Amino acid sequence: MDLDTIAAISTPIGEGAIAIVRLSGDQAINIVNQMFKGKDLMTVDSHTLHYGKIIDPDSKTMIEEVMVSVMRAPKTFTRENVVEINCHGGLASVNRLLEMSLQLGARLAEPGEFTKRAFLNGRIDLSQAEAVMDLIRAKTDKAMGVAVKQLDGKLSKLIKRLRQELIETVAHVEVNIDYPEYDDVEEMTKNIMLEKTMLVYQEIERLLAMARQGKILREGISTAIIGRPNVGKSSLMNALVQENKAIVTDIPGTTRDVIEEYVNVRGVPLRLVDTAGIRDTEDIVEKIGVERSRQVLKEADLVLLVLNFNESLTEQDRQLFELVKDLDVIILVNKTDLPNKIDLNEVAGLAKDHAIVNMSLIEEQGIDQLEEAIARLFFAGQIESDDLSYVSNVRHIQLLKQALATLDDAMSAINADMPIDLIQIDVTRTWELLGEIVGDTVQDSLIDQLFSQFCLGK
Ligand code: GDP
C-alpha cells in the first residue's frame, strides 16, 4: 500500500525532558535528512540512533540538538520507514520541528494514524491496535499488563482458534451432506455441530466472565460513597486519597485529559465518582432525591454505604439499604471511637451477604479492612490469572455477547430439529462476529472511527 508520509508530535503536549517528533512513510528519512546536520541519514543502517543538529532550511540557523533514530521498512511499527527525532527543548522547538517536517512534504498525522497504518499494513490486527489504545490509557500496572498481553496477540490467537473451529464445523457439515456415507448422516451431523457449538459457546462465556474484571482494570471501579449527612463520607474520601497515591502512569505518550479522583487500592483502581457533587450537596439522597441517587448508583460498580456507629439507624439508612441491595456494596460503620448507639444486629440483617467493616476515620482504624474487602470483592484472589489478559475492551465484549446469542440460536435450532442449512447460517454469523474482533470482517467506517479515538502521534 502506498501511503503518504505522516508526522506528529508523539509525546504529551507540555513541558517534558524529551519530546519526540515521529514520521512514517516512504519519504520519512529523506524529509528529516534535509534538515539534519550530521551523518547522511539516507545511508545509515536501519535501527540506528544518530546525534546531530537540526538546521532551519530558511534561516540556516540551528534549531535544536537532537538524536534521530532511523528505522527502515518493513521491520517497524507501521511497516513503513519511521524516523523519530528526539529533542530536549520545550514546546516551541518541538512545534518548529514538526512544522519543518510538514514544510518538507510530510502531512500532519490524524489521531491514531500511526497505529492505523500498522493495521492497514498487516503488522497488527484490530484487537492489537485497540490494545495500543488501552496501553495509552492504562491507569495501573495491572491494566497495562492486560493491554500488553493483548498487544502480544493473545486474544487474537484465541479468537482465531474459535473461528477455525466454527469454519471447520461448517465445512464438515457440507462434506457430510454432499457425500453421505451413512443413512443417519443428518442426525450425526447435528450431533457434531452441537458438540462444537457448545465448545465455542463455553469459551466465549468464559471470556465474558473475565470481561468484567478487564473493564475494572481498564476504567477503574466507579465507586459511589453514600450515606446520611455527617456520617463521614468526605473523611472517608480523604482517607482513601491520602493512603493511596493517586495513580500516575509512567507510560510515555500518555495524555491525561480527564482528571478524576483515581486511587489505587492494592492494584485495584477506584474511580471515586461524582465526589465533588457528593461533597457539595452533603447528602445526595436528601437533597436531590432518591431518583437522582438511583442514577448515581446505576453507574457504580461499587457502593460504599457509610453508617454512624454513634447514632441509631434511621428510616433513611434503611431506605439506602433498600436502594443498594442488588449492588456490590460494602457497609461501613464509622465512628467506632464514640459510644455505640447503632443496632449492629439490625445492620447485619440489612447487610445480608455484603461485607461490614467497622471503622473510625478519626483514629485511622478500619481503612485496611476496607481495602481488603474491596480487593476480595473484585478479584477474589484471581487477579494474577493469566486469563484476564483476554478481554478488556467494550467493543470486543459487545461482539462476544452477540456471538453468544447467535450460538444460542444455533443450539436451539439444533435441538428443535431445524434444517441444517438454517443452523449453518447462525454458525457462519458467529464466525463473522468473531472476525470483527480481530478486524477480518469489519467495515472501513468502523476502522476510521476506532482509530480516531487515539491521541495524536500514536
Ligand atoms: P459527611 O457529611 O458524610 O461527608 O461527613 P464528614 O466526613 O464531613 O464528617 C462529619 C463529621 O464527622 C466531621 O466533623 C468529622 O470530623 C467527623 N468524623 C468523621 N469520621 C469520624 C470518626 O471516625 N469518629 C468521630 N468521632 N468523628 C468522625
Side-chain angles (χ1 to χ4, degrees), residues 170-213:
V170 172
H172 201 101
V173 171
E174 297 284 347
V175 171
N176 274 9
I177 289 179
D178 292 346
Y179 308 98
E181 284 176 54
Y182 307 101
D183 294 341
D184 59 349
V185 65
E186 177 98 8
E187 201 194 319
M188 271 188 47
T189 311
K190 278 185 180 169
N191 283 341
I192 292 171
M193 279 187 107
L194 194 59
E195 196 182 307
K196 288 279 184 192
T197 43
M198 283 271 267
L199 211 95
V200 177
Y201 188 94
Q202 283 164 359
E203 289 268 15
I204 297 179
E205 232 180 4
R206 201 170 59 85
L207 278 173
L208 280 172
M210 296 178 306
R212 178 163 176 257
Q213 295 191 340

Side-chain angles (χ1 to χ4, degrees), residues 44 58 124 141-142 259:
V44 299
D58 298 335
I124 55 177
D141 290 350
K142 277 178 182 150
I259 296 164

Side-chain angles (χ1 to χ4, degrees), residues 230-235 282 334-335 337-338 360-362:
N230 270 318
V231 291
K233 296 183 297 294
S234 319
S235 311
E282 276 288 291
N334 185 35
K335 308 201 187 185
D337 54 291
L338 300 175
S360 165
L361 287 165
I362 287 246

Side-chain angles (χ1 to χ4, degrees), residues 273-311:
V273 181
D274 199 9
T275 48
I278 290 169
R279 237 177 296 177
D280 290 349
T281 54
E282 276 288 291
D283 177 13
I284 51 168
V285 175
E286 200 166 63
K287 295 236 170 78
I288 25 184
V290 175
E291 266 323 301
R292 174 65 211 285
S293 13
R294 233 180 271 249
Q295 199 54 38
V296 174
L297 291 174
K298 214 160 77 185
E299 274 134 45
D301 299 310
L302 169 66
V303 179
L304 302 179
L305 170 54
V306 189
L307 304 170
N308 188 343
F309 186 75
N310 186 231
E311 285 170 9

